[in-house]
Amino acid sequence: MAERKAIPAATRLHLFSDAAGFCQKPDCLEALFPAEMGGDKHIAEMAHVIPHGDAGPRHGDRPADDFDPDAFENLILLCPTCHTKIDKDPEAYPRNVLLDWKANHLARLAHKQGIRAYDDREHARAAVAGIMAENRAIWEKFAPEEGSDFEYDPESATAPAWDERMRSVILPNHYRTLAIIEANLGLATEEERRTFAEYQEHVRGLSERHICGVSGRAIRFPASMKEMFA
Amino acid sequence: MNWQVKYALANFAKEGRSRAEHLGGEVIRIVTEDRPDVVAAITAAANVDEATAVDYRNSVEGLDFLCGYRAECVWEGEAIRFLEENRVGWGSFGTLGSAVLDGNANSAQHKVYKFSDRLLRQYGPVVTVDREFDRIHRVTLRNGEELRIGMIADYEPTADQVRTLWDRFGPVDIIWNINPNGTPQPEANEAGRELGCEVMLWNELRERLARE
């Protein structure tokens, strides 16, 4: 049996970026970098739509022309559970279904995350309020100088927990909130637009600090964000 | 009644688990269920030296805790030693609030510097610790080297905070950012280099102190 080559790094990167970090099965869309694993380990599996061999799932769907099973177009990024499902029951998951998942992944993901334009302020507020409440709860517990668990203890276990929550929960929540507000800016007042600009700057600073390791550029979370779309 | 005492009374009233009453001057009594009553002096001093500490200890009967209410309050080492030897707790208003609930007001230390002071004293390569101020320690290492270490508790110390510590307390060999989430700004590191000291977190300091 011929030895299978590793999938090229560029293809893997393309696939991960295309999936935006979430399982591409539409009724799953689970995070492939789970928060409980610290946000820096993934559970993603690269699944072949058409297999290498003649006996694998969906081999009957193989196109007649020249075909590379390891090409980006023939791969889909899934969580382990969904990978198992599609390979255990290939009739239920034919090639065209998997390619449709992949083609429409970002739109479905955005929809699941509540990123859409609403008709009224009430719905827009509801979409952002829950996310901001989660961030607030974490901040109240772990924040660097004001959290209830914070102590000036250089060996504190709370400090790494705060850093981990920042990267795996708080920042992703901020990105979602930014996207939701951006999609609904038409409903915002002039004052809320200014608040949004400040909020964008706050998130930029947080990203710089917690992802790029550059401190000192984050502005405070604008208090008026609490009133966004209220 | 000065504003510090008024604020202290108001803050205890707001917290709910304790109630505080004014005993006169700068002295209050804090009563908490299932905890010892605490007699605390709320000082407006920006600098607590030994004479100030002795004065409060001698003039306030049953003093359990001396509270430096101002955020910028600095405690001198001799004042700290005097208070600790005489079973009087010391520190910020936050320290007092925690100590009242913990029931250990007369042995409590400033909560901002407590962990770092203990870390230095219990770290193997450190032979002696002389506390000059609440945030300035002179340590002698096992290898005979002597280092003057200044502590900054801020989340992201700035160049200005490094320079302010240097101006206020004199030259130090190391500025230790003791906030566990802390990361000094690049400008703070640069200011330290210009002045002739290193700015670092605990992991780096630990290695520095262990150097043979």
Side-chain angles (χ1 to χ4, degrees), chain A residues 1-18:
Chain A
M1 196 167 126
E3 200 175 307
R4 232 199 260 183
K5 285 185 198 156
I7 292 166
T11 305
R12 280 186 275 132
L13 282 172
H14 189 178
L15 197 58
F16 270 77
S17 83
D18 198 53

Side-chain angles (χ1 to χ4, degrees), chain A residues 90-159:
Chain A
E91 287 77 23
Y93 302 107
R95 182 179 186 228
N96 63 323
V97 166
L98 302 191
L99 294 184
D100 169 72
W101 290 357
K102 203 172 152 185
N104 294 301
H105 175 64
L106 287 182
R108 286 175 177 137
L109 188 60
H111 191 263
K112 186 199 174 193
Q113 295 187 326
I115 300 161
R116 66 184 105 152
Y118 295 97
D119 294 330
D120 56 70
R121 289 169 57 86
E122 195 184 334
H123 284 94
R125 167 133 190 102
V128 296
I131 308 172
M132 289 200 296
E134 184 182 26
N135 278 5
R136 176 90 194 160
I138 296 173
W139 190 86
E140 282 174 358
K141 195 167 176 58
F142 295 114
E145 281 172 316
E146 289 141 283
S148 58
D149 278 11
F150 172 79
E151 280 177 326
Y152 286 96
D153 175 0
E155 295 175 312
S156 161
T158 307

Side-chain angles (χ1 to χ4, degrees), chain B residues 11-205:
Chain B
N11 275 320
F12 275 112
K14 199 169 59 185
E15 291 302 321
R17 280 192 61 189
S18 306
R19 58 188 171 77
E21 55 185 344
H22 187 213
L23 296 183
E26 295 173 308
V27 185
I28 65 172
R29 184 202 312 277
I30 305 137
V31 179
T32 310
E33 199 177 335
D34 299 329
R35 295 285 183 274
D37 289 2
V38 174
V39 173
I42 310 293
T43 178
N47 183 70
V48 180
D49 58 12
E50 188 179 16
T52 308
V54 169
D55 192 36
Y56 277 106
R57 170 75 171 76
N58 292 341
S59 61
V60 179
E61 195 184 336
L63 181 67
D64 296 303
F65 191 92
L66 181 56
C67 171
Y69 201 91
R70 291 181 191 274
E72 68 271 21
C73 182
V74 170
W75 301 73
E76 295 191 6
E78 282 160 357
I80 295 169
R81 274 188 290 283
F82 172 80
L83 292 168
E84 290 182 349
E85 281 164 11
N86 286 280
R87 301 283 294 162
V88 177
W90 64 281
S92 59
F93 182 72
T95 311
L96 173 60
S98 306
V100 161
L101 298 178
D102 293 342
N104 63 355
N106 60 4
S107 61
Q109 306 173 37
H110 201 307
K111 67 194 297 181
V112 172
Y113 304 105
K114 182 178 72 175
F115 289 102
S116 304
D117 176 68
R118 190 155 64 117
L119 259 182
L120 281 182
R121 290 177 196 279
Q122 294 180 341
Y123 189 45
V126 175
V127 178
T128 62
V129 176
D130 174 25
R131 192 170 201 173
E132 296 182 10
F133 292 90
D134 49 6
R135 70 207 71 187
I136 304 286
H137 288 61
R138 189 182 291 277
V139 301
T140 312
L141 304 180
R142 206 164 40 202
N143 64 12
E145 188 180 9
E146 195 175 89
L147 293 173
R148 196 163 185 262
I149 301 172
M151 301 171 189
I152 293 184
D154 291 80
Y155 175 44
E156 293 181 331
T158 62
D160 182 56
Q161 284 167 318
V162 166
R163 294 179 194 285
T164 301
L165 183 114
W166 187 278
D167 291 346
R168 172 73 174 79
F169 299 101
V172 289
D173 300 292
I174 290 164
I175 291 181
W176 178 12
N177 184 195
I178 60 171
N179 186 317
N181 293 295
T183 320
Q185 293 185 10
E187 295 80 4
N189 290 322
E190 187 53 41
R193 270 193 293 276
E194 285 167 14
L195 292 167
C197 69
E198 295 174 80
V199 182
M200 56 179 71
L201 299 168
W202 171 239
N203 284 344
E204 293 165 84
L205 179 60

